[in-house]
Each structure stands twice: as C-alpha cells, then as structure tokens.
Amino acid sequence: MGIDRSMVDLSVNICGVEMKNPVTVASGTFGSGMEYGDFVDLSLLGAVTTKGVAITPWEGNPTPRIAETYGGMINAIGLQNPGMDTFIERDLTFLEKYDTKVIVNVCGHSTVEYVEAVERLSDEKRVDLLEINVSCPNVKEGGIAFGVDPKALYDITAEIKKKAKQPVIMKLSPNVTDITEMARAAVSAGADALSLINTITGMKIDIRRRDFAVANRTGGLSGPAVKPVAVRMVYQVCKAVDVPVIGMGGIANAEDAIEFIMAGATAVSVGTANFNDPYTTVKVIDGIRDFMAEQGIKNLDEIRGCVG
C-alpha cells in the first residue's frame, strides 16, 4: 500500500504561486524568519508569512503582552512593527537569500492605511502574496471592525484589490456568528484566497495579583485549544467558497496539518507551536511526507477535502 517517499509530491498552488509544500507560518509567530534562522532552513518551507507590517511604525500595546493558558497562550502584542520602510529594507532583503515564497501580512488602522501599504508593496519582486489582517482581536481600532462586519470586509477587500498587484489573501476572524458569511463577503469583493482562523478573543486573570494577566485585558487565544474550532471553520469556508484556503489554529504536528487539508485547506500555517519548538515547521513537512508515503498518497489533491 505504501510508496517510496521520493514519489510523494507535496507541492501546492495558491493563486498561481507554486509552493514546494503546503507549510507556512502564522503571522506574528515567526518574525520574518531571522529569529529562526539558526534552527530552520527557511528554504525548506513552502512560504514564510511575515509579521504584520503597516505603512508607519506601530508601538503596540503596553506590557505585559503574553500569558500562558491551558492548551495555548493569550497574546496582546498590538501588531507592533517597524513600519514599511524598515520592513522593505531589512526584512525583504533578508528573505532574498532563501528559496521560498514570501507572504507579507499587512495591517492598518483605516482603509487608506491598508491601501497605502499594499501600494508600497506592489512593485516588490520578493513579495509573492499579500495576507490582509483585518481580524486582529487585540487592536482597539481598525482591523477588528473590518473583521467582524461583512459589509466593512467587502468594502476594504474591494479597495485593496483595486491597487494590489499580488494575489490577496483575506485573513478571517473566528469572532463572528457565521464564518461563511464573512468568507462570501470577502470573495465576492475579489479576494483571491482566504486564511483562517485568526486568534479567538480571550482573557486570563492573575488571581495572585488580582489583575488581568495582560495589560490589554483581553487578547488573542491561540494554540492547541483552538484547533477543533479552526478545523470546523476551515471546513465550512471550503464548502462555502471556491478559492484556496490557508488553514491555521493550533497546528503542532503533521496529523494536525493533515486534518486541515482533509477539511479542504490548500495550505496550512504553523503558529504558536513555533514558540514551544522552533523545529515544528520542518517536522510537520517531514511528517506529512511520511504519512503520504505510508498511505500510498502521491499528491495532496487525493486527500484534500476528502471528508465530504
């Protein structure tokens, strides 16, 4: 029943961009790869997804910003970033050394800021795909409103598509009643692909300090605790729209990643697990290949969306 590992084809195509395998990283958990260079050969990844970047620098939220929880973590970083000039000069230059695709995550406080950021990136040859973060739950203004209102999501997607030269991935929030309504709004406005889920709004209280564990009070819950929710939402979205989906939320090993692919995802992102084990991404890639060889699966199309 099994086949040789050399017969396994892990490649996937997202909006015309060919990735050597379906594994990338969740924005905000990997920087632009510099911090992980001593552990992971970035050329082994299907793509590097950068931390969110805005047209101007953001300071982010006050500290403390991170709290460990059962089965995951809460973060309230607030999308701190150095701004577009530094990002292009430093991060994109760094990524030129590697044979991998680059997905740049874009954030903003307003439609104008998103569009300006997209325009700045439009002629950067090192940028293969844009991921638009309209769903960060720990930013007090801007993204959260776009991520939970279908009309706002439609409008900002349409404006971004007017200026974007790279394919646009809209990153969806799980903090909604009906994820398929949001997916349809983004796709009807021209989104080329979708990614989900972003973090789930959560809270932790430090009972000894009698205060909130993070200064922002609430933050984004990620890690294994959110995976069943993420798999369900990816499945629903893949059934509702006909665009590639990048699935994420609690992926810690190859089995987790394969669940998302069987739910319909074209690719997957590894996020919180990178903090626990910086080698997680390459372990997931190797594990997917081993599973496929063991099961006699030559390419991912054979199992994508197989659960019906």
Side-chain angles (χ1 to χ4, degrees):
M1 183 178 179
I3 58 174
D4 190 89
R5 290 176 90 252
S6 63
M7 298 175 64
V8 172
D9 179 10
L10 288 181
S11 66
V12 298
N13 188 292
I14 297 181
C15 310
V17 176
E18 191 79 15
M19 293 167 50
K20 65 184 70 174
N21 61 65
V23 177
T24 182
V25 291
S27 176
T29 66
F30 208 75
S32 290
M34 284 177 270
E35 297 87 345
Y36 286 83
D38 291 338
F39 305 98
V40 178
D41 177 0
L42 303 186
S43 295
L44 296 176
L45 305 183
V48 171
T49 302
T50 69
K51 190 179 188 307
V53 61
I55 193 68
T56 57
W58 290 15
E59 291 187 1
N61 289 327
T63 57
R65 295 173 166 183
I66 294 175
E68 189 172 357
T69 66
Y70 183 79
M73 63 180 280
I74 288 176
N75 93 83
I77 306 300
L79 293 173
Q80 177 181 338
N81 72 90
M84 191 62 68
D85 291 341
T86 299
F87 174 80
I88 290 173
E89 181 179 343
R90 183 190 68 189
D91 298 51
L92 290 185
T93 299
F94 167 79
L95 288 168
E96 286 177 2
K97 299 183 291 186
Y98 297 96
D99 177 24
T100 187
K101 302 304 180 184
V102 175
I103 304 172
V104 175
N105 183 281
V106 176
C107 55
H109 292 115
S110 65
T111 299
V112 170
E113 288 189 13
Y114 278 98
V115 171
E116 287 181 358
V118 166
E119 286 184 298
R120 280 293 307 278
L121 293 166
S122 63
D123 292 322
E124 294 293 331
K125 293 182 172 59
R126 197 63 191 90
V127 180
D128 297 290
L129 296 153
L130 299 173
E131 181 182 61
I132 312 301
N133 184 0
V134 291
S135 52
C136 184
N138 57 64
V139 176
K140 289 184 171 61
E141 53 186 308
I144 186 65
F146 294 118
V148 300
D149 180 276
K151 184 180 184 305
L153 178 60
Y154 178 95
D155 290 344
I156 193 171
T157 303
E159 290 302 311
I160 286 170
K161 279 295 294 176
K162 290 176 184 178
K163 300 295 183 180
K165 292 185 180 178
Q166 297 93 345
V168 171
I169 307 163
M170 299 303 289
K171 188 169 186 178
L172 302 184
S173 170
N175 301 304
V176 295
T177 303
D178 183 357
I179 192 69
T180 64
E181 181 182 20
M182 305 304 295
R184 290 189 181 98
V187 172
S188 63
D192 301 292
L194 302 172
S195 61
L196 65 151
I197 60 174
N198 210 326
T199 52
I200 295 174
T201 305
M203 178 184 286
K204 180 178 181 178
I205 293 172
D206 184 328
I207 61 171
R208 304 204 180 278
R209 289 195 301 119
R210 303 184 187 187
D211 201 355
F212 302 101
V214 295
N216 199 58
R217 299 189 178 187
T218 62
L221 174 65
S222 62
V226 310
K227 196 194 83 178
V229 176
V231 172
R232 184 262 296 177
M233 288 191 170
V234 166
Y235 171 80
Q236 289 177 314
V237 166
C238 289
K239 290 296 183 185
V241 296
D242 188 22
V243 299
V245 169
I246 301 176
M248 65 193 78
I251 295 174
N253 53 49
E255 289 189 9
D256 294 336
I258 292 164
E259 273 194 69
F260 279 90
I261 293 168
M262 288 187 173
T266 297
V268 295
S269 289
V270 176
T272 301
N274 290 310
F275 297 130
N276 181 58
D277 179 0
Y279 299 99
T280 300
T281 47
V282 289
K283 289 179 179 179
V284 169
I285 294 166
D286 289 342
I288 294 173
R289 190 185 301 277
D290 289 342
F291 173 82
M292 292 172 66
E294 173 195 312
Q295 296 290 314
I297 302 163
K298 291 185 178 180
N299 63 73
L300 291 168
D301 288 339
E302 296 180 35
I303 58 171
R304 183 173 294 108
C306 67
V307 294

